[in-house]
Amino acid sequence: MHAETITFAAPWDNPLRVFTPLICALVLALALFMPATIPLQWVVKGILLMTLLGIWAWAPRAYRMERNHLIVQRLIGDVRIPFTTLRRVRIMSPDETRGAVRIWAVGSCFGYFGRFLNGTETQTWYVTDTEKCIRLECSPHPIVISPADPEALISALPLSLQRSK
């Protein structure tokens, strides 16, 4: 389908630009300034730092199209979404992301990613900007992504998916 690879940036929205440094500073301050007089306190410091490192590593970095897949790029394990599993693709209004509840997810630190409950529906998010989201209808749950230019990403999809917007 695609002879070339197309990459789309995943820029951060304003809340992410504010809260990510604040959360990182808080976690680092806790790890650095918490007393460590017993081994358990060292373990807690390590868990705090490893958690922060893991969140950073699993955050979405960019979105890439290759042949028959849309790929969410992350430092640890890219997510491959086959075009064959996509039934419909559409741009979401910013109101549709408001009020989503994290089930097993990260929010406001390096991105919004993981499982979210949006209304009565479970969704998987790989989002960095809640104002520019695309909803990918696939099974078992819809996937939400946020490229810098949602219209350009949809235009780069196979024609059968573009028509289903």
Side-chain angles (χ1 to χ4, degrees):
M1 280 182 199
H2 294 282
E4 61 187 77
T5 299
I6 305 169
T7 302
F8 299 90
W12 288 7
D13 60 12
N14 287 332
L16 210 53
R17 287 188 198 115
V18 170
F19 288 113
T20 297
L22 289 175
I23 292 167
C24 290
L26 176 66
V27 170
L28 290 173
L30 283 171
L32 290 173
F33 299 116
M34 183 173 54
T37 56
I38 60 172
L40 180 61
Q41 291 168 330
W42 284 103
V43 171
V44 170
K45 285 183 172 203
I47 290 171
L48 284 171
L49 294 174
M50 293 304 293
T51 300
L52 190 62
L53 182 65
I55 291 170
W56 172 74
W58 267 284
R61 301 281 189 265
Y63 310 97
R64 187 176 73 233
M65 281 196 211
E66 288 182 357
R67 297 191 182 182
N68 300 323
H69 291 87
L70 174 63
I71 300 166
V72 179
Q73 292 180 248
R74 304 183 304 177
L75 288 179
I76 297 179
D78 292 346
V79 177
R80 301 177 70 79
I81 305 164
F83 290 146
T84 56
T85 64
L86 297 178
R87 294 185 306 270
R88 206 174 107 190
V89 177
R90 70 173 175 84
I91 295 175
M92 296 173 67
S93 78
D95 292 336
E96 290 181 78
T97 60
R98 291 191 186 100
V101 178
R102 289 177 286 192
I103 297 172
W104 184 252
V106 171
S108 299
C109 189
F110 299 110
Y112 315 89
F113 50 96
R115 293 287 170 129
F116 285 79
L117 183 62
N118 199 348
T120 59
E121 176 180 68
T122 301
Q123 299 174 341
T124 302
W125 286 21
Y126 302 103
V127 174
T128 57
D129 185 351
T130 56
E131 300 291 314
K132 295 181 179 179
C133 291
I134 294 176
R135 179 186 169 101
L136 308 170
E137 296 281 344
C138 50
S139 59
H141 304 289
I143 296 173
V144 180
I145 61 172
S146 62
D149 188 351
E151 292 87 6
L153 187 139
I154 289 176
S155 296
L157 287 169
L159 285 176
S160 60
L161 291 171
Q162 289 178 33
R163 289 190 198 107
S164 64
K165 295 190 273 189

